[in-house]
Amino acid sequence: MSRHYAAAILLAAFALAGTGGSAAAQDADKGKQLYAKNCLHCHGRNMVTPGTVAYDLRQFPEDDKPRFETSVTKGKKNMPPWGDKLSKEQIDDLWAYIMTRGK
């Protein structure tokens, strides 16, 4: 492999890595807006529950996105299902925001 080719691959990898970080931040920003519109009433501002029985989303396990998706899509206990109101992309954006722990 030539040095120029290897350098081009490294530059492309760095560019993609940089894009991923900003894309994740944009997803979290979109998720924050969705959260404010749909979730804040029960789960509280910045995910600090206002004394309700709602789950503290700041404690949601980082490695359990499938459980989050199922809970949002199908509902759980007192939480209604949102599967017919939110797209997969919107649920992914909410997950990105949840992973910020409200910060």
Side-chain angles (χ1 to χ4, degrees):
M1 179 181 337
S2 76
R3 290 176 63 188
H4 295 299
Y5 183 70
I9 290 175
L10 281 174
L11 285 173
F14 284 125
L16 288 174
T19 301
S22 63
Q26 289 174 349
D27 293 347
D29 287 343
K30 288 189 239 173
K32 185 175 184 174
Q33 292 172 15
L34 286 166
Y35 179 91
K37 180 179 177 186
N38 300 298
C39 313
L40 184 142
H41 178 74
C42 294
H43 290 282
R45 185 172 309 283
N46 299 323
M47 294 180 236
V48 178
T49 58
T52 65
V53 295
Y55 184 81
D56 184 345
L57 293 171
R58 296 169 300 166
Q59 304 299 318
F60 208 95
E62 292 179 18
D63 61 348
D64 210 352
K65 184 178 178 187
R67 183 176 130 211
F68 175 80
E69 291 171 334
T70 300
S71 297
V72 172
T73 303
K74 297 183 178 187
K76 188 166 185 171
K77 297 182 181 177
N78 292 331
M79 186 175 111
W82 291 87
D84 62 339
K85 296 171 184 71
L86 298 173
S87 70
K88 168 82 169 99
E89 182 180 339
Q90 289 174 314
I91 293 171
D92 288 343
D93 292 341
L94 277 171
W95 175 254
Y97 175 62
I98 298 304
M99 290 299 96
T100 71
R101 306 298 184 204
K103 297 177 182 168

